[in-house]
Amino acid sequence: MIQNVSIIGAGLSKFGRQPGVSGRQMAVSAIESAVRDAGIAWPDVQVAFGGSDGSGLADTLVAELGLTGIPFTNVKNGCATGGSALFSAVNAVRSGAAEIALAVGFDKHPRGAFDPRPADWGLPEGYGEAGLMVTTQFFGAKISRYMRRHDISRDTLARVAAKAYRNGSLNPNAWRRDAIDVDTIASADMVNDPLTRYMFCSPGEGAAAIVVAGANAVARLGGRPVHLRAIAHRTRQFGSFEVFSPSVQGTGEPTSVSADAAAAAFELAGLGPEDVDVAQLQDTESGAEIMHMAECGFCKPGEQEAMIAAGDTEIGGRLPINTDGGCIANGEPIGASGLRQVHEIVTQLRGEAGERQVPNDPRVGFTHVYGAPGISACTVLTV
């Protein structure tokens, strides 16, 4: 368990296409909202960590926020950028380097698919020329194999996406605010079999920020702290089946960086998946949410089919997942997604989620982010 570290402020920008608004402006908006939520001012922040994939250097945001001279470190870890920034901020408080620390993630991606360069990932150019840098192909291949091995139906893929759009329609900050029915999703244009166009998230725009503090600052400030029981951050082990590394080594099941990070987070927290009241799982596409349910310990592989059909993962279900619409409804601004997840859990545990509020006073929340080429960060939050 992480001793005496709490989230005291959470801020979010709008997500989705915002013409004329830069990624930096979204980041400043999210930071100002988080600082205000914490009941402090920017000069009270003693150290900061943040990053984006393609919208600039986070440390230069001090030009707009205020030149207070604090250490501000840039973080770049794929889709786990936000989670990694939070990991760093928490460690700064734990080490005694600061009482109050901030993590921010932001991005503003152009329309179309992501365009990664093989050299940036330590891969030969031929890898890209063969089409293996196209992430939709990886996601299609991975969930197709999983469905065959664990008897998951195409209908379940569509149900997960329909839930995302339904939840997004209740979220004023979401990009996709219109519900889409299961049949429309299932019959839409195929992108990479078995995933149709409405089962994927899209590269998007948005920013999120989190302020964490030690026990003395929390006692002094009061407010509405949410306790950070654990945060864990892992990279892939040998044998993983990952974006830009889509192969199965040997005869056993591939290792899972998400399973490693989730298990470590629960061990640190002294809690288990059965204790969680609301969760956020990476849903780059609907198959990812299905696989991450098992990888993070919430069920065994293959049990997702019955759980989803029974409504267990809906807002009013036994284990609500991605109550804000997840990446499918919010889009994937790479730097922001991990902290958007934390923002949503903080909102749920405070009972402030409005129409999408999980009933029965949730007390334990979980977040999971996954990024290429095999990196994951998980948190366990409590009130």
Side-chain angles (χ1 to χ4, degrees):
M1 176 178 173
I2 296 173
Q3 297 296 332
N4 303 321
V5 179
S6 297
I7 293 170
I8 61 170
L12 201 68
S13 76
K14 290 279 189 180
F15 275 57
R17 299 295 174 205
Q18 301 173 64
V21 182
S22 70
R24 290 175 59 89
Q25 289 172 312
M26 295 176 206
V28 170
S29 174
I31 291 171
E32 290 177 341
S33 178
V35 168
R36 188 166 55 248
D37 183 52
I40 61 175
W42 171 248
D44 297 314
V45 176
Q46 297 167 334
V47 64
F49 301 84
S52 75
D53 184 67
S55 291
L57 300 172
D59 71 293
T60 65
L61 295 171
V62 297
E64 286 84 14
L65 295 165
L67 302 174
T68 59
I70 66 168
F72 200 139
T73 302
N74 292 303
V75 178
K76 189 170 182 178
N77 250 359
C79 297
T81 292
S84 301
L86 182 61
F87 184 80
S88 300
V90 168
N91 282 339
V93 174
R94 293 178 70 191
S95 71
E99 271 197 316
I100 299 175
L102 179 135
V104 62
F106 60 100
D107 259 307
K108 184 182 179 76
H109 300 297
R111 295 177 183 275
F114 291 120
D115 186 23
R117 297 177 301 178
D120 289 344
W121 304 89
L123 297 168
E125 289 301 315
Y127 203 84
E129 293 165 0
L132 294 174
M133 299 301 288
V134 180
T135 57
T136 59
Q137 292 197 68
F138 162 77
F139 292 120
K142 188 171 185 180
I143 188 58
S144 181
R145 177 180 183 272
Y146 195 90
M147 290 166 68
R148 289 194 304 271
R149 294 178 72 86
H150 301 295
D151 199 23
I152 303 292
S153 68
R154 291 173 183 256
D155 183 64
T156 295
L157 291 175
R159 285 177 182 270
V160 170
K163 172 179 66 70
Y165 293 115
R166 205 160 46 243
N167 293 352
S169 73
L170 305 176
N171 178 5
N173 288 310
W175 180 8
R176 311 297 190 189
R177 299 292 314 282
D178 295 323
I180 305 178
D181 64 81
V182 169
D183 291 341
T184 299
I185 293 168
S187 62
D189 300 340
M190 187 67 69
V191 177
N192 282 100
D193 191 29
L195 299 166
T196 70
R197 62 182 299 184
Y198 293 126
M199 294 176 185
F200 282 95
C201 75
S202 299
E205 306 177 14
I210 299 293
V211 179
V212 296
N216 291 338
V218 171
R220 183 173 71 250
L221 294 166
R224 300 164 297 162
V226 171
H227 306 301
L228 191 54
R229 289 288 293 263
I231 183 167
H233 175 210
R234 294 289 187 273
T235 56
R236 68 194 187 279
Q237 298 186 55
F238 176 77
S240 61
F241 184 85
E242 310 291 356
V243 183
F244 313 145
S245 182
S247 62
V248 177
Q249 306 290 331
T251 59
E253 276 298 293
T255 60
S256 165
V257 66
S258 295
D260 292 345
F266 283 124
E267 182 177 0
L268 284 169
L271 297 169
E274 67 279 2
D275 298 309
V276 173
D277 299 312
V278 56
Q280 292 280 107
L281 304 181
Q282 181 83 10
D283 61 330
T284 315
E285 34 71 38
S286 55
E289 180 174 321
I290 291 169
M291 290 183 285
H292 292 146
M293 286 171 63
E295 289 178 359
C296 292
F298 295 108
C299 64
K300 294 180 180 178
E303 292 180 348
Q304 301 98 317
E305 182 89 357
M307 288 178 65
I308 291 165
D312 286 352
T313 61
E314 301 284 346
I315 287 173
R318 178 169 59 86
L319 178 65
I321 294 175
N322 294 337
T323 49
D324 65 347
C327 287
I328 291 175
N330 287 279
E332 173 73 300
I334 285 177
S337 287
L339 295 180
R340 171 189 55 77
Q341 293 181 332
V342 175
H343 181 281
E344 176 65 10
I345 294 299
V346 169
T347 303
Q348 289 286 347
L349 296 184
R350 287 176 171 175
E352 298 174 351
E355 290 184 272
R356 66 183 190 281
Q357 178 63 48
V358 169
N360 302 319
D361 191 25
R363 309 293 294 174
V364 181
F366 174 85
T367 72
H368 156 268
V369 65
Y370 164 83
I375 190 166
S376 182
C378 296
T379 70
V380 179
L381 309 178
T382 63
V383 290

